[in-house]
Amino acid sequence: MGLKYIEEFRDASLAKDLAASIRQKSKKPLRLMEVCGTHTMAIFRHGIRSVLPDNITLLSGPGCPVCVTAQKDIDAFVAFSRLDDVIVTTFGDLMKVPGSGTTLSRQKAAGADVRIVYSVFDAVTMAKENPDKQVVFCAVGFETTIPTIAAGILMAAAQDLDNFFIHSANKLTPPALAALMETEGVEIDGFILPGHVSVITGIDAYRPVFETYNIPSVIAGFEPIDILQAIHLLVLQNETGKPALENAYTRAVSTRGNPKAKAVMHQVFDVCGAAWRGIGFIAGSGMKLNQVFSSFDAGAGFNLDLPEVPEPKGCACGDILMGLKTPEACALYKKKCTPMTPVGPCMVSSEGACAAYYKYT
Ligand code: SF4
């Protein structure tokens, strides 16, 4: 389409034309998953659903880092906050996520030293300024965030800090897509792939999933035209029976991504298995500190023994993250579960599907 400036990606007449073309060309019922929580929010904010034909259903996916964090990891964050002389540092979104007993927010109100930081570097600086305390950073994020966390570890190592730790609940996107495709009952006709993650990974990261499952897949940016373009491409792929892996966010995403960011990530972390809320254990979907940097691992440093705990009773976050349900199908939605009284993380996170539905519907 040859667009250059950001205003062009918000152009109302272009959006109208794209929406009209989608309505004209889309014949079959289609279930398209926006993998990323930022897309879920953008889709609501720009009113994308209202211009789509009824046969297209948009499903939220597993791309909200707080939402997919397993209950056991939330409990670990809370457990660190109960230890003497420990400062727990976290992004704000995690504060209100209920663990099996309480939240970081309530722990803070009860006197625990829990502090919101805006980057891992703030937590490293805090460790340097508080040598008599142990600082634990709750590391929750996808490929977008992991390189920065790795840089934070390198910064702590360069300063010889022995009082800085992370608990890594970091996750990788492509293995989760593969896991979804293997899950019984999951019906997806196309992925709207995450823009920010893809800036780091590049389009090549999705090739194995695409080649295995032949699933229509398009990387999208976050402006209305970006999202409509991606949906348009997914409609065309489905209607012509020619699945493809396409990049509709070429102004930011390349074939191979950001090699420097990937190198930093792999300098510090090894790929490992990880537990995802709702989806369960997925091989090769997590990142743990490698042997060189293992002394920064809070799990090993504090040796917590946490039991496996079930997810909150009645909460359908797991099914929502797999596209099996929408928030309205959860019996607790807007009743027991609201942004003021969240039961699950999908209602807490600013990228959570339940929070998005609550705000916009
Ligand atoms: Fe979980 Fe609340 Fe969403 Fe239901 S509405 S799935 S309880 S977060």
Side-chain angles (χ1 to χ4, degrees):
M1 201 176 266
L3 302 184
K4 209 165 146 201
Y5 300 105
I6 202 72
E7 295 73 34
E8 295 175 288
F9 289 90
R10 296 174 185 161
D11 185 291
S13 66
L14 258 181
K16 255 188 187 172
D17 290 350
L18 270 170
S21 182
I22 290 169
R23 286 195 297 273
Q24 188 209 348
K25 290 180 178 136
S26 179
K27 311 277 183 234
K28 308 178 193 173
L30 285 185
R31 292 166 62 82
L32 305 179
M33 174 177 276
E34 81 267 2
V35 173
C36 165
T38 313
H39 273 143
T40 302
M41 278 293 177
I43 284 165
F44 274 115
R45 204 171 44 245
H46 300 311
I48 302 281
R49 275 187 172 78
S50 65
V51 300
L52 296 179
D54 290 344
N55 59 309
I56 296 184
T57 305
L58 295 181
L59 305 162
S60 303
C64 155
V66 169
C67 304
V68 295
T69 300
Q71 197 75 359
K72 196 174 175 177
D73 289 317
I74 303 290
D75 282 351
F77 302 148
V78 168
F80 292 128
S81 75
R82 291 196 169 112
L83 301 174
D84 290 337
D85 295 323
V86 167
I87 303 173
V88 171
T89 55
T90 175
F91 297 139
D93 264 12
L94 271 175
M95 289 293 283
K96 284 192 184 162
V97 178
S100 52
T102 183
T103 64
L104 284 173
S105 196
R106 274 187 247 141
Q107 280 294 102
K108 185 178 170 70
D113 198 345
V114 181
R115 304 186 196 180
I116 293 176
V117 289
Y118 296 99
S119 94
V120 65
F121 304 118
D122 296 344
V124 175
T125 304
M126 212 174 279
K128 191 168 183 197
E129 289 170 352
N130 294 274
D132 53 337
K133 303 270 187 187
Q134 317 281 322
V135 174
V136 175
F137 176 71
C138 306
V140 166
F142 291 111
E143 292 89 337
T144 334
T145 319
I146 303 171
T148 315
I149 295 172
I153 295 289
L154 293 177
M155 180 176 160
Q159 297 179 26
D160 282 331
L161 294 181
D162 60 4
N163 65 330
F164 174 74
F165 305 90
I166 68 162
H167 176 87
S168 176
N170 292 315
K171 302 210 166 42
L172 300 172
T173 309
L177 304 183
L180 284 184
M181 296 307 294
E182 294 286 346
T183 303
E184 213 183 306
V186 170
E187 287 170 33
I188 300 168
D189 300 304
F191 284 125
I192 300 170
L193 293 171
H196 294 141
V197 161
S198 306
V199 170
I200 305 294
T201 63
I203 191 165
D204 275 353
Y206 306 100
R207 215 163 288 288
V209 178
F210 171 72
E211 283 170 4
T212 307
Y213 301 99
N214 223 15
I215 172 97
S217 307
V218 179
I219 295 175
F222 299 93
E223 299 300 331
I225 303 296
D226 289 317
I227 297 169
L228 287 168
Q229 261 182 337
I231 294 171
H232 192 242
L233 289 169
L234 289 169
V235 166
L236 293 181
Q237 290 183 29
N238 273 282
E239 293 297 335
T240 57
K242 289 182 184 156
L245 172 58
E246 294 185 273
N247 182 6
Y249 195 27
T250 49
R251 68 188 184 282
V253 175
S254 64
T255 306
R256 293 168 67 189
N258 182 331
K260 273 193 193 156
K262 287 195 279 189
V264 171
M265 184 161 107
H266 290 291
Q267 183 184 349
V268 171
F269 292 105
D270 281 343
V271 173
C272 64
W276 295 57
R277 183 178 295 264
I279 306 173
F281 183 84
I282 306 176
S285 71
M287 295 230 96
K288 65 171 184 192
L289 288 160
N290 64 25
Q291 225 174 354
V292 177
F293 297 99
S294 59
S295 61
F296 294 102
D297 182 357
F302 294 94
N303 207 12
L304 297 175
D305 189 17
L306 294 170
E308 289 295 338
V309 281
E311 286 159 15
K313 211 171 162 211
C315 173
C317 268
D319 285 348
I320 291 166
L321 295 164
M322 289 193 289
L324 291 168
K325 280 187 181 167
T326 57
E328 289 115 326
C330 171
L332 307 185
Y333 175 69
K334 284 193 175 176
K335 293 181 187 117
K336 200 173 159 198
C337 185
T338 70
M340 297 308 291
T341 57
V343 175
C346 304
M347 187 58 95
V348 179
S349 171
S350 56
E351 296 186 355
C354 300
Y357 273 70
Y358 192 94
K359 186 169 178 187
Y360 291 105
T361 62

